[in-house]
Amino acid sequence: MPDSPQITYAAAGVDVEAGDKAVELMKESVRRATRPEVIGGLGGFAGLFDASAIARFAHPVLATSTDGVGTKVAIAQAMDVHNTIGFDLVGMVVDDIVVCGAEPLFMTDYIATGKVVPERIAAIVQGIAAACQQANVALVGGETAEHPGLLEPSEYDVAGAATGAVERADLLTPELVQAGDVVLGVPSSGLHSNGFSLVRRVITSAGWQLDREVPEFGSTLGEELLTPTRVYAADLLRLVKELPIHALSHVTGGGLAANLARVLPTGLTAVVDRSSWTPPAVFSVIGGLGNVPQQDIERTLNQGVGFAVVLPEDAVDEALALLAACDLPSWVMGTVRATDEVDGAVAEIVTGAKGAKSGGAQLIGAHRQ
């Protein structure tokens, strides 16, 4: 039909030139998030990583993880602050890999947006690259996709995937955990990036705006909610290499009890005493503002615990000192017991999280005020 108007890709809402500009703006950030094993640079169809890096292993095992940051992106978009969400993404991905004792090696990211605004995309990638650099993980590639009509021009979502490696003999598996082991709590930096559907519902129902000054936070509501996720990978790998760690648990969706139970074998239960720590103010404010039941908030938010470490009692003091030197003031919060010796009438024993055949976790007592 020669008389029909021409429809271009740009008219359909996709700006290829804007995508190219975004790549130019992010190049310097990505260049810093590298490792010696990376081959080539941006622009290829695939990121390349020299696999001979694991040739020194007697029996190398690869570990992989993928994740996003959930609806926390809605806060970043509302605040028009985009250079911190990358820490949430990297933390959710690489810190899952560390749980099995593996060293994260490289990562790729994916950003879907309604409209490519080069400066916004570059800011997102800047945060991803900075977090990768902190974790000693190479950012070897990524993709930005423009989805007009599916997402609003100001909307975006982010996801990522990472690969790591560990010596087979050094894998952290539930079978290492023993009755009598001690559970340490490693502090979170705040909400991290789980449970924001609940958080957003609470603040919307209360009529709170993101620019509201909250005395308990010493900042605005939006600034507190955007606090970046702490990236633990490098610090916890050092801990695993220096001490006889039996298990690590990344406290993400599902909360402390569910995620701790996942790394224990059947027949054992971690009993955690809430009175051993006080959750940061953001948890009590959100819980009180929404009148959220304790059980619900504990299975949704991390309550101030970013990781749990399970280890023999004679390694506790050294572990606490090492974590403190990493600016992670940790504490003893529980012990591992035979499940048949734990009184289930005192509190629920959480088991079977994420479909895993696992041990259990029980939260007792009340948090310090």
Side-chain angles (χ1 to χ4, degrees):
M1 301 178 65
D3 294 331
S4 298
Q6 291 183 325
I7 300 177
T8 64
Y9 208 12
V14 177
D15 189 340
V16 176
E17 292 182 358
D20 291 340
K21 183 180 178 182
V23 172
E24 286 300 318
L25 291 174
M26 70 178 70
K27 271 186 174 180
E28 182 58 27
S29 295
V30 175
R31 185 191 64 78
R32 292 192 293 269
T34 190
R35 290 172 56 115
E37 301 92 344
V38 174
I39 299 172
L42 287 179
F45 283 88
L48 302 176
F49 192 89
D50 186 353
S52 67
I54 60 174
R56 67 184 185 277
F57 292 8
H59 186 165
V61 175
L62 296 179
T64 185
S65 176
T66 186
D67 210 339
V69 301
T71 62
K72 187 170 182 173
V73 294
I75 307 296
Q77 291 158 21
M79 295 281 289
D80 196 23
V81 174
H82 312 287
N83 62 347
T84 62
I85 205 77
F87 279 83
D88 301 291
L89 178 63
V90 173
M92 291 303 102
V93 175
V94 305
D95 286 339
D96 274 0
I97 288 177
V98 171
V99 166
C100 68
E103 177 185 3
L105 299 173
F106 58 86
M107 180 170 174
T108 57
D109 65 67
Y110 177 78
I111 304 170
T113 183
K115 177 179 176 59
V116 170
V117 178
E119 294 76 12
R120 183 170 62 207
I121 299 300
I124 297 169
V125 175
Q126 178 189 15
I128 296 171
C132 282
Q133 188 177 3
Q134 187 178 106
N136 194 30
V137 173
L139 183 59
V140 296
E143 174 71 9
T144 299
E146 203 164 24
H147 292 168
L150 182 63
L151 296 169
E152 293 298 320
S154 62
E155 291 180 337
Y156 63 81
D157 196 14
V158 295
T163 298
V166 61
E167 184 69 71
R168 177 66 180 84
D170 296 333
L171 269 174
L172 297 183
T173 63
E175 290 69 33
L176 295 174
V177 180
Q178 303 173 25
D181 280 351
V182 174
V183 183
L184 304 184
V186 181
S188 68
S189 56
L191 294 169
H192 286 182
S193 63
N194 300 107
F196 270 79
S197 293
L198 172 64
V199 172
R200 290 169 50 245
R201 176 64 179 270
V202 167
I203 63 176
T204 297
S205 296
W208 282 25
Q209 302 300 313
L210 293 175
D211 60 358
R212 181 189 182 103
E213 293 284 345
V214 183
E216 295 92 333
F217 302 160
S219 68
T220 67
L221 173 64
E223 288 168 342
E224 174 64 33
L225 299 186
L226 270 193
T227 300
T229 297
R230 173 73 186 245
V231 179
Y232 300 89
D235 297 327
L236 292 182
L237 282 174
R238 179 184 168 194
L239 188 73
V240 168
K241 289 175 181 177
E242 295 190 16
L243 296 173
I245 304 303
H246 287 170
L248 296 173
S249 175
H250 190 194
V251 184
T252 55
L256 173 59
N259 284 291
L260 184 52
R262 293 169 68 187
V263 300
L264 303 182
T266 56
L268 294 181
T269 291
V271 179
V272 172
D273 189 348
R274 297 185 186 93
S275 70
S276 64
W277 84 99
T278 302
V282 65
F283 298 99
S284 57
V285 168
I286 294 298
L289 189 64
N291 194 26
V292 184
Q294 179 173 310
Q295 183 182 31
D296 201 66
I297 202 166
E298 287 185 333
R299 68 187 180 194
T300 306
L301 305 179
N302 67 58
Q303 291 292 89
V305 184
F307 254 87
V309 179
V310 183
L311 74 172
E313 184 177 9
D314 60 10
V316 167
D317 289 344
E318 194 173 351
L320 291 173
L322 192 155
L323 290 166
C326 297
D327 194 27
L328 289 169
S330 304
W331 67 97
V332 173
M333 66 176 179
T335 57
V336 177
R337 306 178 191 174
T339 300
D340 59 11
E341 296 177 1
V342 176
D343 186 356
V346 172
E348 176 190 12
I349 298 175
V350 176
T351 60
K354 306 285 186 179
K357 185 178 181 181
S358 66
Q362 182 188 57
L363 303 183
I364 63 172
H367 290 298
R368 296 194 307 249
Q369 298 301 313

